[in-house]
Amino acid sequence: MTSPAPTLERAPAPGAASVPDRPRRTSWFAPFWRWHFYAGFLVLPVLAVLAVTGLIYLFRFQVEPLLHADLMRVEPAADGFLMPYAVQQQQVVDRIATDPSLAGATLVSVTEPGDPYSSTRFSLAMPDESTRDVFVDPYDARVLGALNPDSTLSGTAVRLHANLMSGTVGDVVIEVATCWAIVMALTGYYLFVRGWTARRRVLRHARAAAGTPGGGVRLRDATLRQRHAVGGAVVGVALLGMLVSGLPWTGVWGAQAQQLASRGGTSFWSEDHGAVSSPTSTLDESLPHSHARDVPWALGGTERPTSGAGSDTGSEDDERSVANVDTAVLVAAREGLARPLTIALPETDDGVFSVIGYAFHDPTAERTVHVGRFGGEVVSTYGYADYPALAKVVAQGIALHEGRSLGSANMIGSAAMCLLVLFVCVSGPLMWWRRRPKDGTLGAPRARMPLRTTPLLVVALVALGVFLPLFGASLVLVLLADRLLLRRVPALSRWFGVRAA
């Protein structure tokens, strides 16, 4: 690494009054640019995956029926009469008994059609812990076929979005990338504000020299820089909101924050105080994992109550008193739940029908009614109004994150944000590629954070590291690598642009 050229100081003129030296202002631009540069290299690949998979998930209800029209789309009957769900359920039970590919499956839930052209979906839990969806024509109870929801385009997108389909390792990678994306966004805003005048000047000069040799290249570079800056500034606030609202899903921060919240008497999700027994399962466990999204976020950990014990007299009246899935739907409709409904079926003899009104566009209308399987009575109800304050905040944040809180505007805005994120993910590396050094070095800005002269910055980094533990841990690793490795190996020092020890 070459040393900086020595600066020549002009001697004061004879007889000139001596002027005291002014303290030099600490420049944050180059250090923030360096952090923005490295954070981008760390997180842009993950952000690109999250943006693409998020875009697919946004339009899943439009895309999947096109890809699987033979299973998900039906022609309405002339009279519009729907077969009872109990009849449809029996057809699925018969299919399980005769189809070797469904051997050992357990029927766990049914989701009613969302419109006259949609089929009824029955969700199964398989012995190998995978899931299957069986689709039934609601007008004639004919089984249309089965599908592994994890193998669909949107199912694959969901699994990539959750943990890169890599379990705990992928979950940690996404959480670390999320933390550093926050750093990238914050440093990006600083660079946007401080560098606005310089970028405009460079763009103006590039336009003036567009007709000269090499002027076209300069103009394209200057235009790309400006568009990257403006695009990043537009998407930055929304990106920060998406990143923060996605943290409750993470395995480290989400789990630790939930524990702290529980100790403080609140929760990220609800506890159904209407549960009058000691249930053995929760709503998200009773549905196939790929359909956990059918359970409102705050209700995901809700304990399921049980039905009251039925009479053991064996009389004919007792037989008639046993409720079924149609009873549960009627009771839920009477209670005013949002449609379409998902009904989690009883798992045991004393189980309940848990009817879930997801309220897609209105989290405040989320509500679940537990219906007894013997008399069809309402065992308990629980909804948004009963959530702890923190669960209400998280429910609203998740709805915004999924593009469903403000109707079409939220969905369109989320889609636009995904596209802008993809633009930033492409334009950033493209700018580096066009301006990369020809000597084989990385070309990162050569500057160090002025931590010794700005204690407030140290406090901010420590606070962020404590609030985001994986960021704090990764930051320590980065600083140790910089001090113990990069600065002690000449080849690495030169390539990364750091001062050798």
Side-chain angles (χ1 to χ4, degrees):
M1 175 177 172
T2 57
S3 300
T7 56
L8 301 178
E9 297 184 359
R10 182 178 304 222
S18 60
V19 179
D21 293 336
R22 294 180 179 179
R24 296 182 62 185
R25 294 180 60 187
T26 299
S27 174
W28 287 13
F29 189 87
F32 272 45
W33 186 7
R34 185 177 180 86
W35 276 47
H36 187 77
F37 180 89
Y38 282 121
F41 264 89
L42 287 172
V43 307
L44 288 185
V46 176
L47 279 184
V49 171
L50 295 181
V52 171
T53 55
L55 198 60
I56 294 172
Y57 185 72
L58 276 175
F59 293 97
R60 64 196 181 280
F61 295 125
Q62 290 76 29
V63 173
E64 293 300 340
L66 293 176
L67 298 177
H68 305 284
D70 57 325
L71 300 177
M72 299 182 180
R73 306 303 289 172
V74 297
E75 285 296 326
D79 58 4
F81 177 76
L82 298 175
M83 297 294 287
Y85 290 115
V87 174
Q88 299 181 50
Q89 178 181 348
Q90 186 59 49
Q91 293 298 311
V92 175
V93 172
D94 293 343
R95 181 62 173 264
I96 293 173
T98 59
D99 190 340
S101 66
L102 301 179
T106 301
L107 181 57
V108 293
S109 73
V110 53
T111 300
E112 62 179 357
D115 58 65
Y117 298 92
S118 297
S119 55
T120 308
R121 186 183 73 213
F122 289 83
S123 297
L124 314 179
M126 303 300 293
D128 61 358
E129 298 185 352
S130 65
T131 60
R132 294 293 185 275
D133 283 344
V134 176
F135 298 89
V136 177
D137 188 325
Y139 300 102
D140 59 13
R142 178 170 49 93
V143 175
L144 302 175
L147 180 69
N148 183 347
D150 287 339
S151 67
T152 63
L153 179 63
S154 60
T156 302
V158 167
R159 292 188 293 143
L160 282 170
H161 200 84
N163 56 22
L164 303 178
M165 296 171 63
S166 303
T168 303
V169 173
D171 188 60
V172 170
V173 169
I174 287 182
E175 186 169 347
V176 171
T178 298
C179 297
W180 280 94
I182 294 174
V183 174
M184 184 184 68
L186 295 177
T187 54
Y189 271 114
Y190 181 86
L191 299 178
F192 176 79
V193 174
R194 288 294 306 274
W196 176 259
T197 302
R199 285 192 306 274
R200 294 290 297 173
R201 182 173 62 252
V202 170
L203 182 58
R204 186 170 60 251
H205 291 167
R207 286 172 177 168
T212 63
V217 176
R218 289 177 56 192
L219 179 59
R220 287 195 298 270
D221 288 346
T223 302
L224 183 61
R225 290 176 61 190
Q226 185 69 359
R227 289 176 178 172
H228 177 85
V230 173
V234 171
V235 78
V237 173
L239 180 62
L240 285 171
M242 294 290 278
L243 293 171
V244 172
S245 64
L247 283 174
W249 267 304
T250 57
V252 176
W253 190 93
Q256 295 300 319
Q258 170 61 20
Q259 289 184 7
L260 292 175
S262 299
R263 293 173 187 170
T266 185
S267 174
F268 275 175
W269 49 79
S270 68
E271 292 183 9
D272 192 340
H273 302 293
V276 294
S277 62
S278 299
T280 59
S281 65
T282 60
L283 284 180
D284 53 358
E285 291 170 346
S286 66
L287 296 179
H289 182 268
S290 62
H291 293 301
R293 62 180 180 272
D294 291 333
V295 180
W297 171 260
L299 282 171
T302 297
E303 294 178 339
R304 298 185 66 191
T306 59
S307 297
S311 171
D312 57 2
T313 62
S315 68
E316 185 177 350
D317 289 339
D318 289 333
E319 290 295 327
R320 287 199 299 267
S321 70
V322 176
N324 60 20
V325 64
D326 294 287
T327 309
V329 170
L330 289 174
V331 171
R334 185 184 65 203
E335 294 291 322
L337 264 66
R339 312 290 286 266
L341 304 171
T342 294
I343 304 95
L345 303 175
E347 297 175 319
T348 59
D349 290 340
D350 62 348
V352 295
F353 294 95
S354 293
V355 188
I356 305 159
Y358 197 65
F360 187 83
H361 292 301
D362 184 11
T364 63
E366 292 176 358
R367 196 156 171 247
T368 295
V369 173
H370 302 294
V371 180
R373 67 171 301 174
F374 297 105
E377 77 283 4
V378 175
V379 177
S380 65
T381 65
Y382 204 74
Y384 184 88
D386 305 302
Y387 293 177
L390 183 58
K392 290 181 178 179
V393 173
V394 172
Q396 293 288 352
I398 295 303
L400 284 170
H401 187 100
E402 294 184 341
R404 58 181 178 82
S405 182
L406 304 174
S408 298
N410 193 175
M411 188 171 182
I412 293 172
S414 296
M417 195 206 74
C418 289
L419 294 175
L420 271 176
V421 169
L422 286 174
F423 170 75
V424 171
C425 289
V426 172
S427 60
L430 184 58
M431 286 192 303
W432 167 79
W433 182 258
R434 288 181 175 180
R435 303 176 64 192
R436 70 191 188 282
K438 304 303 181 184
D439 59 358
T441 60
L442 185 60
R446 298 188 177 187
R448 300 180 66 180
M449 274 291 184
L451 298 178
R452 295 181 180 179
T453 58
T454 52
L456 185 61
L457 183 59
V458 177
V459 173
L461 286 175
V462 171
L464 191 61
V466 171
F467 180 70
L468 301 172
L470 285 186
F471 168 73
S474 60
L475 178 62
V476 170
L477 289 177
V478 168
L479 294 178
L480 288 176
D482 177 72
R483 178 65 59 183
L484 302 178
L485 183 62
L486 301 186
R487 298 183 183 277
R488 297 179 182 274
V489 180
L492 293 177
S493 300
R494 180 175 178 277
W495 194 74
F496 278 96
V498 299
R499 190 185 300 276

